[in-house]
Amino acid sequence: MTDDREPVAHPGHRPGASFHEMWRDLLPIGRHTETGGYRRYAWTGADADCRAWFRAQAETRGLGYEEDRNGNQWAWLGDPAAGDAVVTGSHLDSVPDGGAFDGPLGVVSSFAALDELRSRGARPAKPLALVNFGDEEGARFGLACVGSRLSAGQLSAEQAHALRDGDGVSLARAMERAGYDPEAIGPDPERLARIGAFVELHIEQGRALDETAHPVGVASAIWPHGRWRFDFHGEANHAGTTRLEDRRDPMLTYANTVLAARKKARTAGALATFGKVGVEPNGVNAIASLVRGWLDSRAPDEETLAAVVGEIERAAVERGQRDGVEVTVTRESFTPVVEFAHGLRDELARLLGGAPVLPTGAGHDAGILSASVPTAMLFVRNPTGVSHSPAETAAEDDCLAGVTALADVLEGLACH
Ligand code: HGY
Ligand code: MN
Ligand code: MN
């Protein structure tokens, strides 16, 4: 579905008005006018506007709205204390200049699926909840899935309080400025104990479904993945008067490390990306004193991932020895391999009439929660496979097919 031109409705297909209105309300929030990308970072104004949107959708539908100790938003149908709740949802924050669908499609579809369930006259026998997990992308503080990791006890309050953004603002300060109590954050086992199943709908970040006749697929697994910060310490000097042989230029070591990362990943059947870099002092006519490069690496299994990152680190250090540059590496985020609960996975595939089952290299809150509760994911077809980009898109029919699939799943899990 295009993000701001009139969507082209499939002939004879009346788009779900509520899906459309929700999508339109959400679309302008945090969208950068020049790039068309989204900058919805944790605990910023755009994040607050997204949260206000979520709360309004919940309250308009008469759902029990609450925020948990970590700022995640919940909208309940039924009594949470009854337990064995069927929960669905995703996130509303974005990567820098991300697309409109990564996260929001899951949240909008959750409300639309609940509307569809109600229009069917379905009567849930279990509590239902819709959730918006905070800070899934980690775009501001560098760690993915902060909201769900805190609740699942995979990130301690102390570790969270140590997080700083690029301006040195702490997570705690940012939460306070947004009106939240950073002293309250921490594990939430009681809340997670109330969940019988969590299902996250998400745009596919890849093109596997595009090669099938299926608009919706079911996730089997998430590749292990992580983020490592490489610091290349060189020596500042004059670009115009320092002989080449006298330089300790960290940019040289960084550049060779980027090339080595691609080579090591390709050889191992893994992925390695340096997508973020910082240079000090960052002057055109000055040799850098420090280059900071962030590596995102992912692989089909943890052993391969560890081997690839180790080889990239060794290549960086060896090149640094040639360049007179010291290299230090810090792991900033890591998510182990996720194998979604086989019973739930197979139940969803059955409920969806034999939908394709596929792995992904993208991390999700469902992956974090899978250590605590039975979780599953639905993927909506992405015709280009592009994500983490303003060009991310999905066909309107496929988005609405995702809503129907999610309603079928919620009905199958909560109403029988
Ligand atoms: O980086 C990821 O895989 C996810 O989009 N947070
Ligand atoms: Mn993402
Ligand atoms: Mn996402």
Side-chain angles (χ1 to χ4, degrees):
M1 185 166 67
T2 52
D3 51 15
D4 56 1
R5 293 169 293 282
E6 264 311 297
V8 178
H10 191 285
H13 188 116
R14 199 183 73 74
S18 95
F19 183 95
H20 252 71
E21 286 162 6
M22 286 191 278
W23 194 257
R24 276 210 186 104
D25 288 351
L26 200 52
L27 212 53
I29 299 176
R31 188 162 175 235
H32 192 265
T33 45
E34 280 145 47
T35 64
Y38 286 85
R39 299 180 180 179
R40 296 169 175 166
Y41 308 143
W43 311 116
T44 61
D47 187 55
D49 292 345
C50 286
R51 289 169 176 275
W53 173 89
F54 182 94
R55 177 168 191 158
Q57 295 304 326
E59 291 177 341
T60 308
R61 289 169 174 78
L63 301 175
Y65 174 80
E66 56 177 2
E67 293 174 354
D68 66 24
R69 60 187 311 186
N70 299 308
N72 303 309
Q73 293 179 288
W74 298 75
W76 287 93
L77 178 66
D79 174 10
D84 198 24
V86 176
V87 180
T88 185
S90 189
H91 63 94
L92 293 173
D93 68 308
S94 74
V95 295
D97 280 357
F101 296 78
D102 175 354
L105 181 63
V107 179
V108 171
S109 300
S110 297
F111 282 109
L114 181 68
D115 293 347
E116 186 157 330
L117 216 54
R118 283 171 147 172
S119 69
R120 293 178 187 174
R123 306 184 65 75
K126 301 174 180 176
L128 280 179
L130 285 60
V131 62
N132 166 35
F133 283 110
D135 199 4
E136 189 275 345
E137 295 290 5
R140 179 173 179 188
F141 296 99
L143 177 67
C145 301
V146 171
S148 53
R149 281 183 205 266
L150 279 167
S151 293
Q154 296 175 28
L155 174 71
S156 70
E158 188 193 0
Q159 290 167 318
H161 281 291
L163 295 173
R164 297 284 180 280
D165 69 10
D167 298 324
V169 177
S170 69
L171 173 70
R173 188 89 191 88
M175 287 185 75
E176 272 168 354
R177 284 178 183 161
Y180 289 76
D181 175 10
E183 294 314 313
I185 64 175
D188 204 344
E190 299 80 18
R191 180 177 298 273
L192 297 191
R194 290 175 174 171
I195 301 175
F198 173 65
V199 180
E200 179 172 2
L201 180 144
H202 202 284
I203 184 170
E204 184 195 353
Q205 293 160 307
R207 287 198 56 220
L209 286 175
D210 194 48
E211 268 117 47
T212 76
H214 294 269
V216 179
V218 177
S220 56
I222 296 178
W223 276 19
H225 57 284
R227 305 176 188 188
W228 289 263
R229 195 189 75 240
F230 282 59
D231 292 342
F232 302 87
H233 304 272
E235 181 181 69
N237 214 325
H238 196 301
T241 58
T242 312
R243 297 185 312 165
L244 295 183
E245 57 269 37
D246 294 336
R247 295 181 181 209
R248 291 174 50 219
D249 185 351
M251 201 65 97
L252 216 55
T253 313
Y254 165 69
N256 278 279
T257 303
V258 173
L259 295 172
R262 167 60 67 94
K263 188 175 174 192
K264 303 295 183 190
R266 188 178 55 243
T267 310
L271 298 173
T273 312
F274 276 95
K276 177 180 174 179
V277 64
V279 183
E280 291 177 13
N282 209 25
V284 174
N285 56 352
I287 300 166
S289 56
L290 171 69
V291 174
R292 283 217 157 107
W294 279 264
L295 168 70
D296 176 309
S297 192
R298 314 191 185 206
D301 57 79
E302 290 176 30
E303 191 185 347
T304 304
L305 179 59
V308 168
V309 173
E311 285 169 30
I312 296 168
E313 183 171 353
R314 271 190 298 282
V317 170
E318 280 161 21
R319 178 69 206 208
Q321 284 158 356
R322 279 175 51 187
D323 299 334
V325 168
E326 189 207 353
V327 181
T328 56
V329 180
T330 308
R331 188 177 84 172
E332 292 194 339
S333 179
F334 181 74
T335 307
V337 62
V338 168
E339 185 80 22
F340 286 110
H342 291 184
L344 194 53
R345 175 201 64 193
D346 297 344
E347 170 79 355
L348 264 59
R350 186 186 61 76
L351 285 167
L352 301 182
V357 177
L358 58 154
T360 180
H364 300 281
D365 292 307
I368 298 299
L369 288 190
S370 67
S372 313
V373 301
T375 59
M377 289 193 75
L378 296 180
F379 291 135
V380 171
R381 180 160 50 193
N382 176 336
T384 65
V386 169
S387 186
H388 286 189
S389 156
E392 182 185 68
T393 188
E396 175 185 329
D397 279 359
D398 288 351
C399 293
L400 297 178
V403 170
T404 301
L406 185 57
D408 291 347
V409 163
L410 295 179
E411 187 172 7
L413 295 178
C415 301
H416 299 309

